[in-house]
């Protein structure tokens, strides 16, 4: 299965991605995680993207696309993968189409976690407090939400029009949401075979 998972900031996308990817036996590929590693290791890429990430803005497509193209060419991604946090705008959707076409394959499923905006802001503010993340101010949190609405939300329509979008209610415990996602995946792999 070749899948992507999208969802607004605070939806628990990263946690869910690792769980469902290992259940499906495919690597979870998180662009956010790769960027954070570069920032922590102070690589050239890391120094370029640190300020953007901290401000809740997206990294430029050229940098992101290149990173994904190279990651998807690795051996472990040939039979399947779960992209977490990519694509994040329509131009990245087009780029991913190209990458997959070159691999002579296509996407099977786009999962979207759906949650109410205020629930998300509350969650993120709570998390900022308990984890003592001073950079996660309400301003940055609202900005992240805005960027998601403007740039990323539209890609769910693209995948819907292709018939591969599955929206999943993201409100509930980690286990409940994981079960809903697993059901969407097994439903799709039934069609797929
Ligand atoms: P995430 O962990 O998916 O929330 O990603 C953390 C941050 O990394 C985002 O807020 C962006 O600044 C950056 N990022 C991750 N994936 C992308 C992407 N596909 N396009 C642009 N920026 C990204």
């Amino acid at each position: 299965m070749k899948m992507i998972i999208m969802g607004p900031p605070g939806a628990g996308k990263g946690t869910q991605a690792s769980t469902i990817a290992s259940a499906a036996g495919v690597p979870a590929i998180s662009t956010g995680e790769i960027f954070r590693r570069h920032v922590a290791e102070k690589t050239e890429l890391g120094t370029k993207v640190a300020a953007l990430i901290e401000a809740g803005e997206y990294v430029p497509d050229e940098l992101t696309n290149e990173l994904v193209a190279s990651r998807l060419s690795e051996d472990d991604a040939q039979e399947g993968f779960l992209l977490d946090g990519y694509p994040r705008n329509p131009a990245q959707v087009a780029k991913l189409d190209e990458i997959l076409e070159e691999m002579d394959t296509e996407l099977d499923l786009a999962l979207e976690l759906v949650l109410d905006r205020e629930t998300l802001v509350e969650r993120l503010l709570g998390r900022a407090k308990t984890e003592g993340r001073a950079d996660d101010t309400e301003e940055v949190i609202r900005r992240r939400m805005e960027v998601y609405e403007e740039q990323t939300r539209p890609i769910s329509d693209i995948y819907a029009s292709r018939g591969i979008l599955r929206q999943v209610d993201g409100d509930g415990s980690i286990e409940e949401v994981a079960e809903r996602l697993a059901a969407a995946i097994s439903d799709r792999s039934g069609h797929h075979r």
Side-chain angles (χ1 to χ4, degrees), residues 9 13-14 30-33 35-36 49 52-54 56-61 64-65 68 84-89 92 144 147 151:
K13 182 172 59 71
S30 158
T31 44
E33 206 175 289
F35 284 136
R36 278 189 293 276
V49 303
L52 289 171
I53 294 179
E54 200 162 308
E57 304 292 340
Y58 286 169
V59 171
D61 287 346
T64 311
N65 289 335
V68 172
D84 160 12
Y86 182 94
R88 247 180 165 97
N89 61 35
Q92 292 182 8
R144 274 205 196 110
V147 170
Q151 304 194 40

Side-chain angles (χ1 to χ4, degrees), residues 93-103:
V93 170
K95 180 63 192 185
L96 179 60
D97 288 343
E98 251 174 57
I99 297 172
L100 294 180
E101 205 177 295
E102 269 171 37
M103 292 167 71

Side-chain angles (χ1 to χ4, degrees), residues 43-187:
T43 66
E44 196 186 334
L45 176 63
T47 54
K48 276 188 202 161
V49 303
L52 289 171
I53 294 179
E54 200 162 308
E57 304 292 340
Y58 286 169
V59 171
D61 287 346
E62 314 87 75
L63 300 178
T64 311
N65 289 335
E66 197 183 316
L67 192 118
V68 172
S70 127
R71 181 63 186 87
L72 287 180
S73 74
E74 286 176 36
D75 285 349
D76 67 338
Q78 303 314 301
E79 296 305 314
F81 53 77
L82 174 65
L83 278 170
D84 160 12
Y86 182 94
R88 247 180 165 97
N89 61 35
Q92 292 182 8
V93 170
K95 180 63 192 185
L96 179 60
D97 288 343
E98 251 174 57
I99 297 172
L100 294 180
E101 205 177 295
E102 269 171 37
M103 292 167 71
D104 205 18
T105 187
E106 58 185 15
L107 211 58
D108 299 302
L109 179 63
L111 295 162
E112 181 181 12
L113 288 171
V114 180
L115 272 122
D116 160 85
R117 191 188 173 103
E118 284 314 305
T119 310
L120 291 166
V121 174
E122 287 310 307
R123 260 199 206 183
L124 287 170
L125 284 174
R127 192 154 65 177
K129 246 183 238 147
T130 55
E131 293 177 12
R133 284 159 51 163
D135 55 318
D136 256 355
T137 60
E138 177 153 6
E139 193 191 342
V140 172
I141 288 170
R142 296 227 175 250
R143 179 63 194 149
R144 274 205 196 110
M145 221 56 98
E146 211 172 82
V147 170
Y148 184 82
E149 290 298 330
E150 284 169 7
Q151 304 194 40
T152 304
R153 181 81 70 200
I155 79 172
S156 92
D157 291 338
I158 300 178
Y159 289 124
S161 72
R162 296 183 189 179
I164 60 167
L165 179 75
R166 286 296 299 265
Q167 290 183 316
V168 170
D169 178 7
D171 198 10
S173 69
I174 291 179
E175 293 75 18
E176 281 165 345
V177 177
E179 255 171 54
R180 289 175 201 144
L181 289 166
I185 294 170
S186 71
D187 197 41

